[in-house]
Amino acid sequence: RYPQAFEKFKPACRESDLSLCSRDEIVNAYDNAILYTDHFLAKAIELLQKNDSKFETGLFYVSDHGESLGENGLYLHGLPKSFAPSAQLHVPAIMWLGSRFHATTTPALLAKSKKRFSHDNVFHTVLGLFEIDSATYRPEMDILSQAKTPKAL
């Protein structure tokens, strides 16, 4: 879903029944949705940057699922993990941390950016980002755990 202004890739499928659309129309609709998501995330980061001098700002975005766009005749998502194609299992994630954020050491973050993570890491990373003390927190599952620097007092 995206506003009409973001329909840059045409023709785009507007049908809920994908069998009524060509593969190109489906891919164009998907690309338009990604374009809009990129725009939304850029606006969110812009807002965070405006407040960066007053707060520790950050954004952690993880898609909830991947999407099949016709590979092996499959469309959309939702297949069980045991036989879902990689397009449904590999999802994008973006982490943006403001200049005042205490969990930033460039070499450690760059090393982490080359690793693969799963949705299992999200819970523990969010606990770590918000510095929530909990018995369920597992630092080894926190994407940033080894990239953190001590917080200035």
Side-chain angles (χ1 to χ4, degrees), residues 52 55-58 97-106 109 125-132 142 144-153:
D52 195 43
F55 306 101
E56 285 179 316
T57 58
L97 302 173
S99 63
R100 295 184 57 188
F101 207 87
H102 70 279
T104 56
T105 61
T106 303
L109 285 175
T125 302
V126 170
L127 287 177
L129 282 167
F130 286 112
E131 299 172 348
I132 296 172
D142 179 347
L144 295 175
S145 66
Q146 295 173 349
K148 290 180 180 174
T149 56
K151 190 172 184 175
L153 299 175

Side-chain angles (χ1 to χ4, degrees), residues 117-130:
F117 298 98
S118 77
H119 282 109
D120 297 336
N121 299 98
V122 173
F123 175 77
H124 301 281
T125 302
V126 170
L127 287 177
L129 282 167
F130 286 112

Side-chain angles (χ1 to χ4, degrees), residues 1-14 24-39:
R1 296 187 182 123
Y2 51 87
Q4 188 66 37
F6 286 85
E7 190 167 286
K8 303 295 180 191
F9 301 97
K10 297 180 181 183
C13 181
R14 288 283 187 179
D24 286 344
E25 290 170 325
I26 294 167
V27 170
N28 286 344
Y30 180 79
D31 288 345
N32 290 330
I34 296 301
L35 180 67
Y36 182 62
T37 300
D38 287 348
H39 167 77

Side-chain angles (χ1 to χ4, degrees), residues 43-119:
K43 288 295 188 185
I45 291 170
E46 186 179 299
L47 175 67
L48 292 168
Q49 286 174 321
K50 287 179 184 176
N51 291 285
D52 195 43
S53 64
K54 296 178 249 171
F55 306 101
E56 285 179 316
T57 58
L59 178 135
F60 184 26
Y61 172 84
V62 183
S63 183
D64 59 339
H65 56 76
E67 203 73 36
S68 289
L69 297 176
E71 307 87 0
N72 300 316
L74 297 172
Y75 289 91
L76 302 176
H77 57 272
L79 290 175
K81 188 176 181 180
S82 59
F83 53 95
S86 64
Q88 290 183 25
L89 299 175
H90 297 127
V91 300
I94 295 170
M95 187 177 291
W96 176 89
L97 302 173
S99 63
R100 295 184 57 188
F101 207 87
H102 70 279
T104 56
T105 61
T106 303
L109 285 175
L110 287 174
K112 290 278 190 167
S113 73
K114 306 217 183 320
K115 295 185 176 194
R116 290 194 178 265
F117 298 98
S118 77
H119 282 109

